């Protein structure tokens, strides 16, 4: 079977942007976007923010607004999971039909981890990935509801903030000593812990969750709380599991693509098959400037957006390396932050501004070199943080810590 079509598997942000990227790069052949969810491609960040809060409806989350498929001339197959890919025959299977493709973009995203805990499948236990998840959870975040959020990373902390803002009683559970410790370190994680505590969230970190408590039997069975490894029980009507995600790799693996913790891709996001590209949460990318030539897999919005555009353009023949730095944002209460950096760890946090004032830049250093940076309620500085990261040279700490130095001057003054 021969085809002149680009087929994109996965109707999330990366998939939708791949279609745009292919058109912008001049692809004149047909493009088909196949997604298992029944909705037009939408963005997930609002699901733990405005949409969960009730400020926005589903329409606000759409990546592909009305008219999108006409504008980019994309044929949409929604509610249509691809069950197999035959790389040699250049076909993807939907239902029992084998659709031919000329070039393939894979963007199947990720699924939330549901731990193998007693009671984890009870009614009242939620994970948050899809629009349906968010709408179901929103209905349960009502004044007086007792909500236990398990996992104190991004999804957990954002859900805790929204649940509290909707009037629920919230306990935030997780590992470590402060929320977000792994990504932001103890100082900035401690700041987030204080913010939550000041809004009335009980932050109880340390003991592991060992099970979900049940009340009722049969059809009446439902979650009634969370049992911790220290023997205590946190009573709750709603339990939200924010324990991270697993990339959806089964299709790629079964097709025979090279896969490790993600689908392996070269600098241009091309997979081990010369007619298949990859983008978003599933891509394990040979980033041209990652320290030590390490592979990078990023589970963030900016990465899905920009890699989607790049993978689509490259499938259309652009053949350009993808070089943007990982970027992330989060909104909790009145605290907004942006983060750029490599996900490989740091050994020092350097602050500009004060945690007490709630407005600061936290530089993450490794061996004296900036490898990441979070700007919290400080704006228009992230591009300068990125310049420092890209320079990959030791910095003068006193310059970065000095609030009187203009961030535009950081590269000139701080790079030793
Ligand atoms: C609640 C929430 C809040 C978030 N907030 C932020 C934030 O504030 N900032 C930030 O930077 N990032 C945030 N993220 C992360 C960000 O949304 C993801 O990194 C991004 O959605 C990844 O896009 P993707 O297109 O790779 O995957 P996805 O968005 O997961 O889309 C993949 C799509 O492919 C479909 N699919 C899977 N398998 C198949 C198949 N076999 N056939 C057809 N279709 C298939 C899936 O159903 C899904 O629709 C958040 C994520 C969540 C869940």
């Amino acid at each position: 079977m021969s085809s002149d079509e680009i087929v994109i598997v996965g109707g999330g942000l990366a998939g939708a942007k791949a279609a745009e990227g292919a058109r912008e790069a001049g692809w004149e052949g047909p493009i088909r976007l196949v997604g298992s969810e029944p909705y037009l491609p939408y963005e997930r960040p609002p699901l733990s923010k405005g949409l969960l809060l009730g400020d926005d409806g589903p329409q606000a989350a759409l990546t592909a607004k009305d008219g999108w498929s006409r504008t980019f001339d994309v044929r949409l197959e929604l509610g249509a999971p691809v069950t197999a890919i035959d790389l040699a025959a250049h076909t993807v299977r939907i239902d029992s039909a084998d659709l031919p493709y000329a070039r393939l973009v894979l963007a199947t995203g990720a699924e939330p981890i549901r731990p193998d805990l007693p009671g984890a499948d009870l009614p009242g236990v939620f994970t948050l990935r899809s629009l349906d998840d968010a709408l179901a959870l929103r209905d349960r975040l009502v004044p007086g509801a007792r909500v236990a959020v398990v996992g104190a990373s991004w999804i957990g902390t954002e859900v805790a903030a929204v649940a509290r803002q909707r009037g629920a009683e919230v306990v935030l559970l997780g590992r470590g000593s402060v929320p977000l410790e792994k990504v932001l370190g103890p100082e900035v994680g401690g700041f987030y812990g204080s913010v939550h505590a000041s809004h009335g969230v009980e932050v109880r970190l340390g003991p592991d969750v060992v099970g979900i408590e049940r009340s009722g039997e049969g059809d009446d069975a439902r979650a009634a709380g969370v049992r911790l490894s220290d023997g205590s029980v946190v009573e709750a009507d709603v339990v939200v599991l924010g324990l991270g995600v697993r990339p959806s790799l089964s299709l790629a693996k079964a097709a025979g693509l090279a896969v490790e913790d993600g689908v392996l891709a070269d600098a241009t996001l091309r997979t081990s098959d010369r007619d298949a590209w990859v983008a978003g949460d599933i891509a394990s990318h040979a980033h041209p400037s990652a320290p030590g030539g390490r592979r990078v897999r990023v589970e963030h919005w900016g990465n899905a957006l920009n890699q989607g555009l790049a993978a689509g353009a490259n499938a259309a023949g652009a053949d350009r390396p993808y070089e943007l730095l990982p970027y992330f944002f989060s909104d909790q209460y009145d605290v907004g932050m942006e983060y750029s950096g490599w996900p490989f760890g740091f050994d020092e946090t350097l602050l500009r501004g004060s945690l007490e004032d709630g407005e600061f830049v936290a530089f993450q250093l490794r061996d004296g070199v900036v490898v990441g940076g979070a700007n919290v309620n400080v704006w228009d500085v992230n591009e300068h943080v990125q310049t420092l990261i890209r320079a990959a040279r030791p910095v003068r700490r006193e310059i970065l810590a000095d609030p009187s130095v203009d961030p535009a001057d950081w590269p000139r003054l701080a790079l030793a």
Side-chain angles (χ1 to χ4, degrees):
M1 263 190 276
S2 81
S3 165
D4 59 352
E5 185 165 83
I6 292 182
V7 171
I8 301 162
V9 180
L13 179 60
K17 290 294 162 185
E20 295 179 22
R23 285 288 177 234
E24 282 160 8
W27 184 260
E28 289 180 352
I31 299 178
R32 189 190 300 250
L33 177 68
V34 191
S36 34
E37 292 184 76
Y39 307 114
L40 285 168
Y42 60 89
E43 307 201 1
R44 298 184 197 272
L47 308 185
S48 55
K49 304 177 187 68
L51 189 132
L52 194 62
L53 201 51
D55 286 353
D56 298 323
Q59 200 67 20
L62 291 181
T63 313
K65 306 264 192 252
D66 291 345
W68 178 86
S69 59
R70 266 196 314 282
T71 307
F72 292 98
D73 192 12
V74 180
R75 180 166 172 184
L76 292 169
E77 310 265 1
L78 302 175
V82 169
T83 52
I85 298 168
D86 186 332
L87 296 171
H90 277 55
T91 57
V92 299
R93 175 163 295 174
I94 310 173
D95 291 328
S96 49
D98 286 323
L99 301 177
Y101 67 80
R103 318 253 168 102
L104 181 71
V105 178
L106 271 180
T108 50
E111 291 145 35
I113 293 172
R114 235 179 213 271
D116 189 16
L117 289 174
D121 53 357
L122 282 168
V125 179
F126 292 82
T127 54
L128 178 54
R129 182 74 189 178
S130 68
L131 185 54
D132 292 345
D133 294 341
L135 294 174
L137 177 59
R138 186 172 78 184
D139 284 347
R140 299 292 304 274
L141 301 181
V142 293
R146 295 169 309 166
V147 179
V149 180
V150 182
S153 195
W154 295 115
I155 297 290
T157 51
E158 290 193 353
V159 169
V162 168
R164 194 68 200 114
Q165 286 167 289
R166 285 177 63 89
E169 300 300 317
V170 183
V171 183
L172 180 61
L173 302 163
R175 291 189 171 148
S177 53
V178 293
L180 297 161
E181 187 167 14
K182 214 164 133 193
V183 242
L184 296 180
E187 298 90 344
V188 183
F191 164 78
Y192 274 94
S194 310
V195 169
H196 278 278
S198 73
H199 283 86
V201 172
E202 183 184 343
V203 181
R204 206 195 291 183
L205 304 184
D208 266 356
V209 169
V210 294
I212 310 299
E213 296 290 289
R214 157 199 303 258
S215 77
E217 288 303 326
D219 287 352
D220 293 332
R222 55 185 175 74
V226 173
R227 180 169 290 277
L228 302 176
S229 54
D230 62 5
S232 62
V233 170
V234 175
E235 292 184 4
D237 326 299
V238 178
V239 177
V240 184
L241 302 175
L243 295 169
V245 294
R246 247 184 229 113
S248 304
L249 299 171
S250 53
L251 201 57
K253 265 190 201 156
L257 290 173
V259 169
E260 286 175 7
D261 73 320
V263 179
L264 300 191
D266 70 9
T268 67
L269 299 165
R270 188 181 236 144
T271 68
S272 55
D273 182 276
R274 57 167 291 102
D275 288 330
W277 287 258
V278 70
D281 283 10
I282 58 165
S284 172
H285 170 226
H287 197 296
S289 47
R294 292 168 73 168
R295 289 190 160 274
V296 185
R297 193 176 68 74
V298 179
E299 294 164 355
H300 293 325
W301 171 89
N303 182 69
L305 190 156
N306 291 307
Q307 274 193 349
L309 288 170
N314 288 343
D319 205 26
R320 282 191 298 263
Y322 177 79
E323 305 197 72
L324 296 181
L325 281 174
Y327 166 88
F328 178 83
F329 68 93
S330 175
D331 297 315
Q332 303 180 27
Y333 312 103
D334 54 356
V335 178
M337 71 90 74
E338 295 176 291
Y339 173 88
S340 288
W342 299 115
F344 308 131
F346 55 99
D347 54 32
E348 181 184 344
T349 299
L350 176 70
L351 286 172
R352 175 188 193 267
S354 91
L355 297 173
E356 290 71 31
D357 294 346
E359 293 179 10
F360 57 88
V361 181
F363 299 96
Q364 297 179 338
L365 276 60
R366 187 170 178 147
D367 299 327
V369 171
V370 177
V371 292
N375 46 293
V376 177
N377 282 348
V378 173
W379 304 109
D380 303 323
V381 299
N382 201 264
E383 64 179 294
H384 305 303
V385 173
Q386 292 205 2
T387 306
L388 297 173
I389 297 170
R390 286 185 184 287
R393 296 214 311 270
V395 286
R396 291 176 57 196
R397 290 174 175 76
E398 69 283 7
I399 298 289
L400 295 186
D402 183 347
S404 70
V405 174
D406 183 339
D409 289 331
W410 287 341
R412 185 172 60 83
L413 299 177
L415 291 170

